[in-house]
Amino acid sequence: MAETLTPTALTLKDIAREAGVSLATVDRVLHNRTGVRPDTVRRVKEAIERNSFQPHVAAAELARGRARRFAFVMPSGPNPFMQQIEDYLGEMSGWLSARRLSVEMVATDVFDPSVLAASLEALSGDYDGIAVVALDHPGVRAAINDLVDAGTKVVTLVSDVPSSRRHHYVGIDNIAAGRTAGALVGRLVGQRSGKVAIVAGSQGLRDHAERIFGFNQVMTTEFPDLSVLPVLEGRDEDDRSEQLLARLFGQHADIVGLYNVGAGTQGVAKALSEAGRDKQVVFVGHDVTALTRRLLLQGVMDAAISQNPGHEARAAVRVLLALARGEPILHEQEKIRIDIVMRDNLP
Amino acid sequence: MAETLTPTALTLKDIAREAGVSLATVDRVLHNRTGVRPDTVRRVKEAIERNSFQPHVAAAELARGRARRFAFVMPSGPNPFMQQIEDYLGEMSGWLSARRLSVEMVATDVFDPSVLAASLEALSGDYDGIAVVALDHPGVRAAINDLVDAGTKVVTLVSDVPSSRRHHYVGIDNIAAGRTAGALVGRLVGQRSGKVAIVAGSQGLRDHAERIFGFNQVMTTEFPDLSVLPVLEGRDEDDRSEQLLARLFGQHADIVGLYNVGAGTQGVAKALSEAGRDKQVVFVGHDVTALTRRLLLQGVMDAAISQNPGHEARAAVRVLLALARGEPILHEQEKIRIDIVMRDNLP
DNA sequence: CTCAAAATGAGTTGCGTACCTCAAAACACC
DNA sequence: GGTGTTTTGAGGTACGCAACTCATTTTGAG
C-alpha cells in the first residue's frame, strides 16, 4: 500500500568501500579531476550507479564554501516584461540568500550584437552562471561559446541562440505560440469571413518572425475564409503602431481579426477603439501586463498568449543552480508553457 | 549598472555577538525553545531582523541529520490524473534523494470520509508532511486538524478542505475553471444559438459543483442565446456518461456545446461521434491525458482546461519542504494556474 | 633494473548549523 | 540570607562533503 520512492542514504565513504578505493579517489572521480586510471574511474562509477548514490546537496553546498554568483543580462530601457522578471527575482531574495546565491542584473543594449557581445565578454570569469536575453548573431554566439568554454554556465532567456553551445534555453517555442494565436483568432472569429491584420515589432526579430510564421501556417491551412493582410511593422512603439493600424482600418472595412505579435499594445488598442471596432474585431496579443489585463477585462482584447515571466525568472535561476551543482535538470518542470489567458483565467 | 539583490553572509555567531548573548541562546530563540527571558528573545530577534539574517539552509539541513518523510494520500483505483502525479514524483526521485527526502504514496478510498479520516489518523506521527486529495467532510476536517496539532505539515491537493487548518492548498480555483470553460464554449460556439450540455461526475463533489457553478455563471450573464440543459451525472464512468449523453442527443437536436466537468471523457467522446456530431458540437473538458490529447488533435475536443499535474506534484513537495524547514512559501511560484490547452499549445 | 611520472591512500581542516550537556549566573520568594 | 528555580554561557560533537597535503605505491619507459 505504501510504496517508497526513495531508498538511499549512503555516503561517499560507503562508495569508497564498495569500490575498494579511498575517499580521495572517489572525490577525484566525482569531480572529474585528473590522476585516476580509467579502469579505477569505471569501478567507482559502477559503485555509484549500483547504489544509485546521490551526494547530499546540503553537505556539498556547505563544504564548497564560496557563494555562487549569477548574472542576468537584460535589455536596458523600460520594458514591462523584463521589469516583471526583475521584480520576481526580487521576491526570491530570501530564497536566494538562504542558499548563499547572489543574482545581479546587468542592463545592456541587447539589440546591438557588438555591444551585447562585449558585455558578455566583460562578465567572463566573474560569475558561475549567466542568463542572457540574447540576439541570434555570430558575434553573440561566439561570446556565449567563450563563456561556456571558460566554465561558466549559460542559459538563454526568452530569446534563444540555438547555434551556440549554451547549456539551456528558458523560453517558449515561438512558432507554437504563433500557431496558438492563429487558432484563437480563427476560432473566436467564428463563421464570419474577412481580413486579419498583424502588427509586429519587426520581422527581423527572431521571436517575432517565428510567431508570424506559426500564425500564418494555421491561418492558411485551417481558416481559408480569412485572408491575412501584410504585416505592419510597429517597432514595438505605441504611436507608430496606432498610426499604421488606423490607416489600415481606413483601407479595409472587413477586418475581423487582429494579432499583435509584440509590444505597442497601447497604440493598437487605441487605434481599435478610435475606429470604433474594439468589440467587433477579435484581438489577440502577447503577455499579461497591467495594460493587457485591463484590456482583457474590458473585452477589448480577447486573449493573450503569455510566457509567465515569474516562471521564466525562477526557472532560469533553478537551471543555473542545477548546472552549477552538476545536478540533472528537471526538464518537465523548467519547460515554459504557452499560456492562453482570457478574462476568466487571468492569473 | 550591476545591482546586487542579495547582500547577507552572516552566521549565527555574528548574531550572537550582535545581541550580546551566546550561541546557545540564539539557537534557543531560533527554534522557539523555552528558557529564554522575553526581553532576551526580543534582543535576539532584533539582531536577526537588523541584519536580515537567514540561516544557511544547507548547514541546517546537514546538521539535523534525520531525513524528512512525506506522504501523498491519493485515491486508489485507476485514475490517469493521479497516475500522472505519481509519475512526476518518480521523475523527481533524484532530486528528492539528493535532499534526503522520502515520499511515499498511500492509496485509499478518498471518497469515503470515514475511510479517509482513518487513513489520515493512521499516518499520524510517522511523517513530517502529508499531501492529501481530500473530501470536504467534518470527519476529514477533524483528522486534518489533528495532524496539524501533532506538528505534521498538511497540504490539500487538487481538492481543498478550506474549513480545516491545513497549511496550504495546492490546486486551482475551480469556480474560475468553470468560468473559463463557459467562456470558451460560448466564444467558440460563435454566433449560433442552441443548447449546451453538461456532464459531471457528481454534483456532490466539491470541485465539480464549483466548476458547474462558474460555468453557469458565465453562460447566463454573457451568452443568453445559449441555454444550459440539466447536468448529467456520469459518475466519472465512461459507459454511464455515454448512455446519458446518447439519450440527450436523441432528445435535443440543437445542442451546440458540451462541457465535461470530470472524467469519463472516453464515453463522452464516443457518444459524440456515434451521434455524428463530433465536429459540430463545441466540446470542452478537463485535463491533458493521452486520450484528451488525441481528441484535441483530431478536432473532436476543442479545448481542455488543465491543472498541470506535474506542477501540482512538485509544488506540493516544495511547499511541504518549505513548511518543514520553516521557510516562507513562494506563493507566486506555487500557485496553480488554470491552463487552457488547445491543439496548438499542447504541452 | 632504474627512475621519473602517474596513481592512489591516508589524513586533516572547515563549512554553519542542530542538539546536547554541564556549570555558572541571575533571579524570585520567603 | 538562604533556598530553589530559571536563565544563560561555554563548549563539544556530529552531519557529509570539498579541497587540500603529503606519503606511498604502482606503472611505464628506457
Side-chain angles (χ1 to χ4, degrees):
Chain A
M1 184 169 198
E3 164 206 354
T4 302
L5 292 172
T6 55
T8 37
L10 301 180
T11 73
L12 278 185
K13 215 183 297 182
D14 301 312
I15 300 301
R17 188 161 17 79
E18 273 262 335
V21 299
S22 75
L23 253 173
T25 302
V26 177
D27 183 70
R28 290 182 182 111
V29 172
L30 219 53
H31 298 88
N32 307 309
R33 289 191 241 279
T34 61
V36 185
R37 228 172 317 159
D39 180 61
T40 312
V41 173
R42 195 181 42 72
R43 266 164 53 218
V44 173
K45 289 200 166 165
E46 275 175 11
I48 292 179
E49 278 303 311
R50 193 158 0 110
N51 300 284
S52 59
F53 167 77
Q54 295 269 126
H56 192 316
V57 240
E61 206 57 33
L62 186 57
R64 72 187 301 280
R66 349 188 314 269
R68 298 182 197 276
R69 297 182 65 194
F70 296 148
F72 272 61
V73 180
M74 314 253 290
S76 49
N79 181 323
F81 184 77
M82 300 302 167
Q83 185 57 51
Q84 284 185 65
I85 289 192
E86 213 168 320
D87 290 347
Y88 286 120
L89 285 176
E91 284 177 19
M92 290 181 79
S93 67
W95 190 93
L96 291 170
S97 70
R99 287 160 183 73
R100 300 301 185 267
L101 301 175
S102 90
V103 173
E104 297 168 32
M105 310 295 308
V106 177
T108 190
D109 183 357
V110 302
F111 293 107
D112 183 329
S114 60
V115 171
L116 175 55
S119 296
L120 288 176
E121 300 285 4
L123 299 177
S124 183
D126 293 340
Y127 294 92
D128 300 285
I130 294 179
V132 55
V133 179
L135 196 71
D136 195 2
H137 177 278
V140 176
R141 183 190 320 156
I144 290 179
N145 287 341
D146 285 351
L147 284 172
V148 171
D149 290 334
T152 307
K153 306 302 177 185
V154 179
V155 308
T156 47
L157 191 62
V158 179
S159 174
D160 194 17
V161 187
S163 57
S164 72
R165 298 205 307 283
R166 87 279 186 282
H167 298 88
H168 199 83
Y169 164 56
V170 175
I172 59 172
D173 174 347
N174 281 302
I175 296 182
R179 291 182 53 90
T180 303
L184 277 170
V185 169
R187 293 300 308 261
L188 293 179
V189 162
Q191 328 293 3
R192 295 179 287 168
S193 64
K195 303 207 178 81
V196 175
I198 301 182
V199 184
S202 157
Q203 297 198 69
L205 290 171
R206 184 189 185 90
D207 48 351
H208 287 200
E210 288 180 346
R211 289 175 185 177
I212 294 169
F213 177 78
F215 187 86
N216 282 325
Q217 203 180 0
V218 168
M219 294 309 278
T220 53
T221 59
E222 294 182 35
F223 303 100
D225 290 348
L226 300 176
S227 71
V228 179
L229 294 168
V231 176
L232 303 179
E233 298 206 358
R235 293 189 200 146
D236 283 357
E237 296 163 11
D238 289 329
D239 292 346
R240 189 178 160 89
S241 299
E242 181 187 347
Q243 287 159 18
L244 288 172
L245 205 50
R247 181 136 48 94
L248 199 71
F249 281 137
Q251 294 164 350
H252 303 274
D254 56 344
I255 292 179
V256 293
L258 170 58
Y259 176 36
N260 186 29
V261 183
T265 310
Q266 176 87 69
V268 171
K270 201 166 167 202
L272 260 176
S273 62
E274 303 222 327
R277 310 217 197 164
D278 44 354
K279 304 289 177 185
Q280 302 133 40
V281 174
V282 171
F283 175 21
V284 173
H286 278 266
D287 300 336
V288 176
T289 64
L291 173 65
T292 55
R293 173 182 292 274
R294 196 169 59 242
L295 293 175
L296 283 169
L297 287 173
Q298 289 170 349
V300 174
M301 205 163 161
D302 295 280
I305 313 289
S306 162
Q307 45 186 328
N308 192 301
H311 191 178
E312 293 202 334
R314 290 183 292 265
V317 172
R318 281 194 303 257
V319 168
L320 284 176
L321 184 55
L323 287 168
R325 285 176 173 168
E327 282 188 307
I329 294 172
L330 295 174
H331 285 93
E332 183 62 31
Q333 168 171 252
E334 309 308 354
K335 188 165 156 192
I336 310 296
R337 282 166 301 153
I338 299 170
D339 291 341
I340 298 174
V341 179
M342 298 175 67
R343 192 204 318 190
D344 295 294
N345 70 331
L346 263 173
Chain B
M1 184 172 194
E3 164 206 356
T4 303
L5 291 172
T6 57
T8 37
L10 301 180
T11 73
L12 277 185
K13 216 182 297 182
D14 301 312
I15 299 300
R17 188 161 17 79
E18 273 262 334
V21 299
S22 75
L23 249 173
T25 302
V26 178
D27 183 70
R28 290 180 182 115
V29 173
L30 218 54
H31 297 89
N32 308 310
R33 287 191 245 280
T34 63
V36 186
R37 229 172 315 162
D39 180 62
T40 313
V41 173
R42 194 182 42 73
R43 266 164 53 219
V44 173
K45 287 200 167 164
E46 274 176 13
I48 291 179
E49 278 302 310
R50 193 158 359 111
N51 301 284
S52 59
F53 167 77
Q54 295 267 124
H56 193 315
V57 220
E61 207 57 33
L62 183 56
R64 71 187 300 280
R66 351 187 311 270
R68 297 182 198 277
R69 296 183 65 194
F70 297 147
F72 273 61
V73 180
M74 314 253 290
S76 49
N79 180 323
F81 184 78
M82 301 302 166
Q83 185 56 52
Q84 283 185 66
I85 289 193
E86 213 168 321
D87 290 346
Y88 286 121
L89 285 176
E91 284 177 20
M92 290 181 78
S93 67
W95 190 93
L96 291 170
S97 68
R99 284 158 185 76
R100 300 301 185 264
L101 301 174
S102 90
V103 173
E104 299 168 31
M105 310 295 308
V106 177
T108 190
D109 183 356
V110 302
F111 294 106
D112 182 329
S114 60
V115 172
L116 175 54
S119 296
L120 289 176
E121 299 285 4
L123 299 177
S124 183
D126 293 340
Y127 295 92
D128 300 285
I130 294 181
V132 55
V133 179
L135 196 70
D136 195 3
H137 178 277
V140 176
R141 184 190 320 156
I144 290 178
N145 287 342
D146 286 351
L147 285 173
V148 171
D149 290 334
T152 307
K153 308 300 179 187
V154 179
V155 308
T156 47
L157 191 62
V158 179
S159 175
D160 194 17
V161 186
S163 57
S164 72
R165 297 205 307 283
R166 86 282 185 282
H167 298 88
H168 200 84
Y169 165 55
V170 175
I172 58 173
D173 174 347
N174 281 302
I175 296 182
R179 291 182 53 90
T180 304
L184 278 169
V185 168
R187 294 299 310 258
L188 293 179
V189 161
Q191 328 292 4
R192 294 179 287 167
S193 65
K195 303 206 178 84
V196 174
I198 301 181
V199 184
S202 156
Q203 298 198 67
L205 289 172
R206 183 186 187 91
D207 50 350
H208 287 200
E210 288 180 347
R211 289 174 185 176
I212 294 169
F213 176 79
F215 186 86
N216 282 325
Q217 205 180 1
V218 168
M219 293 309 281
T220 54
T221 60
E222 294 181 35
F223 303 99
D225 290 348
L226 299 176
S227 70
V228 179
L229 295 169
V231 176
L232 303 179
E233 299 207 357
R235 294 189 200 144
D236 282 359
E237 296 162 12
D238 289 329
D239 291 346
R240 188 177 159 90
S241 300
E242 180 187 349
Q243 287 159 18
L244 288 171
L245 205 48
R247 182 135 47 95
L248 199 71
F249 281 136
Q251 293 164 351
H252 304 274
D254 56 345
I255 293 179
V256 293
L258 170 59
Y259 176 37
N260 185 29
V261 182
T265 310
Q266 176 88 68
V268 172
K270 200 165 168 205
L272 260 176
S273 64
E274 303 223 326
R277 311 219 197 162
D278 44 353
K279 303 289 178 188
Q280 303 132 39
V281 175
V282 170
F283 174 21
V284 173
H286 278 267
D287 301 336
V288 176
T289 62
L291 172 64
T292 55
R293 173 182 291 274
R294 195 168 60 243
L295 293 175
L296 282 169
L297 288 173
Q298 290 170 349
V300 174
M301 204 162 161
D302 295 279
I305 313 289
S306 161
Q307 45 186 329
N308 192 301
H311 191 178
E312 294 203 335
R314 290 183 292 265
V317 171
R318 280 194 304 256
V319 169
L320 284 177
L321 183 54
L323 287 169
R325 285 176 173 169
E327 282 189 307
I329 295 171
L330 295 174
H331 286 93
E332 183 62 31
Q333 168 171 254
E334 311 307 356
K335 190 165 156 191
I336 309 296
R337 283 167 300 155
I338 300 169
D339 292 342
I340 298 175
V341 179
M342 298 175 66
R343 192 206 316 192
D344 295 293
N345 71 330
L346 264 174

